[in-house]
């Protein structure tokens, strides 16, 4: 069983003007595809591990043979992170979440705008390449960030508790925003599919 690139749940230009179609095409079709291809190539050397779910592999990297562990960490992390990223964005999105999730964001961070500031600061403050995350744990929400293609699953967190993630690699924004990562993040908030994030929240609190 080999991993495969999930289809984008919307058109390449669906996130315009916040994320341009050219960036989306390269990001999904080239970068994400490369993570999948390289993950599958690495796992050819460990067929017993390749039958596991990607979440199970990432949660137990020490059990991956050392010769392919870094490749599995980088490319397996890249595959999982991007699969989440495409899902939690969408057209005609953004704004403030309502319902139970909106209430919990307010009680966890003080306000929606404080949540936004904290997630943006985590993304801007991540030196080099990486991700910023909105995490659920014990009925509260918090912000985390990771370098490279690492994610909180590698730190023992449940995949379901990772409610959303934002890619701050230059490949996610450089064509449109060049070096201005803060501008990319400001625009990115307009793409959050809160309906999907609320669904993830509903599953996480089960
Ligand atoms: Mn990326």
């Amino acid at each position: 069983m080999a991993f495969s690139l999930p289809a984008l749940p919307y058109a390449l230009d669906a996130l315009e003007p916040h994320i341009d179609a050219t960036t989306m095409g390269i990001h999904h079709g080239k970068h994400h595809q490369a993570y999948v291809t390289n993950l599958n190539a690495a796992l050819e050397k460990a067929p017993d591990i390749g039958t596991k779910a990607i979440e199970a592999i990432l949660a137990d990297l020490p059990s991956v043979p050392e010769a392919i562990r870094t490749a599995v960490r980088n490319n397996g992390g890249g595959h999982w992170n991007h699969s989440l990223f495409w899902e939690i964005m969408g057209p005609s999105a953004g704004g403030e979440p309502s319902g139970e999730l909106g209430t919990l964001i307010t009680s966890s961070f003080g306000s929606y705008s404080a949540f936004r500031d904290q997630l943006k600061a985590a993304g801007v403050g991540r030196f080099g390449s990486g991700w910023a995350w909105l995490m659920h744990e014990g009925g509260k929400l918090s912000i985390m960030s990771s370098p490279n293609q690492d994610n909180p699953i590698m730190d023992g967190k449940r995949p379901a508790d990772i409610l959303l993630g934002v890619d701050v690699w230059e490949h996610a924004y450089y064509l449109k925003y060049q070096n201005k990562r803060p501008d990319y993040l400001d625009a990115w908030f307009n793409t959050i599919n809160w309906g999907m994030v609320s669904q993830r929240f509903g599953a996480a609190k089960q």
Side-chain angles (χ1 to χ4, degrees), residues 2 51 70-71 111 143 160 184 186 205:
T51 60
T70 299
S111 65
I143 303 293
Y184 155 66
D186 283 337
K205 66 187 172 108

Side-chain angles (χ1 to χ4, degrees), residues 27 31-32 35 78 82 85-86 131 149 167-169 171-172:
H27 200 176
H31 289 280
H32 190 171
Y35 297 125
H82 288 84
F85 190 51
W86 312 133
W131 291 76
Q149 293 297 354
D167 189 344
V168 298
W169 283 57
H171 70 220

Side-chain angles (χ1 to χ4, degrees), residues 80-129:
W80 193 88
N81 296 347
H82 288 84
S83 298
L84 173 70
F85 190 51
W86 312 133
E87 257 192 27
I88 57 83
M89 296 189 289
S92 312
E96 296 190 23
S98 55
E100 200 180 339
L101 179 61
T103 304
L104 190 56
I105 283 180
T106 303
S107 65
S108 297
F109 299 100
S111 65
Y112 173 76
S113 108
F115 149 75
R116 216 184 123 111
D117 290 348
Q118 278 191 44
L119 185 62
K120 180 180 173 183
V124 170
R126 169 52 59 190
F127 182 78
S129 297

Side-chain angles (χ1 to χ4, degrees), residues 1-198:
M1 182 198 83
F3 293 101
S4 58
L5 182 69
L8 268 187
Y10 36 75
L12 290 177
D13 63 358
L15 306 182
E16 295 264 13
H18 313 297
I19 302 181
D20 58 289
T22 305
T23 295
M24 286 298 292
I26 297 169
H27 200 176
H28 177 260
K30 305 292 183 191
H31 289 280
H32 190 171
Q33 180 63 64
Y35 297 125
V36 170
T37 301
N38 294 335
L39 173 64
N40 288 333
L43 288 173
E44 277 176 18
K45 295 165 192 125
D48 50 322
I49 287 177
T51 60
K52 291 168 41 173
I54 187 62
E55 292 86 355
I57 295 173
L58 299 178
D60 191 18
L61 285 170
S63 77
V64 176
E66 200 174 351
I68 60 166
R69 193 177 302 150
T70 299
V72 170
R73 178 185 196 125
N74 291 338
N75 294 290
H79 175 42
W80 193 88
N81 296 347
H82 288 84
S83 298
L84 173 70
F85 190 51
W86 312 133
E87 257 192 27
I88 57 83
M89 296 189 289
S92 312
E96 296 190 23
S98 55
E100 200 180 339
L101 179 61
T103 304
L104 190 56
I105 283 180
T106 303
S107 65
S108 297
F109 299 100
S111 65
Y112 173 76
S113 108
F115 149 75
R116 216 184 123 111
D117 290 348
Q118 278 191 44
L119 185 62
K120 180 180 173 183
V124 170
R126 169 52 59 190
F127 182 78
S129 297
W131 291 76
W133 311 101
L134 173 63
M135 302 296 302
H136 166 269
E137 201 163 15
K140 281 209 66 170
L141 303 176
S142 59
I143 303 293
M144 287 182 64
S145 82
S146 309
N148 305 312
Q149 293 297 354
D150 285 2
N151 65 40
I153 303 171
M154 299 173 190
D155 300 323
K157 305 294 184 192
R158 293 190 319 154
D161 282 326
I162 306 171
L163 300 186
L164 67 75
V166 56
D167 189 344
V168 298
W169 283 57
E170 282 188 344
H171 70 220
Y173 62 85
Y174 203 84
L175 291 180
K176 185 174 170 82
Y177 297 97
Q178 294 81 48
N179 59 316
K180 299 183 284 286
R181 189 187 289 182
D183 291 1
Y184 155 66
L185 286 167
D186 283 337
W188 177 80
F189 280 95
N190 297 310
T191 71
I192 301 177
N193 177 351
W194 284 113
M196 178 57 73
V197 178
S198 291

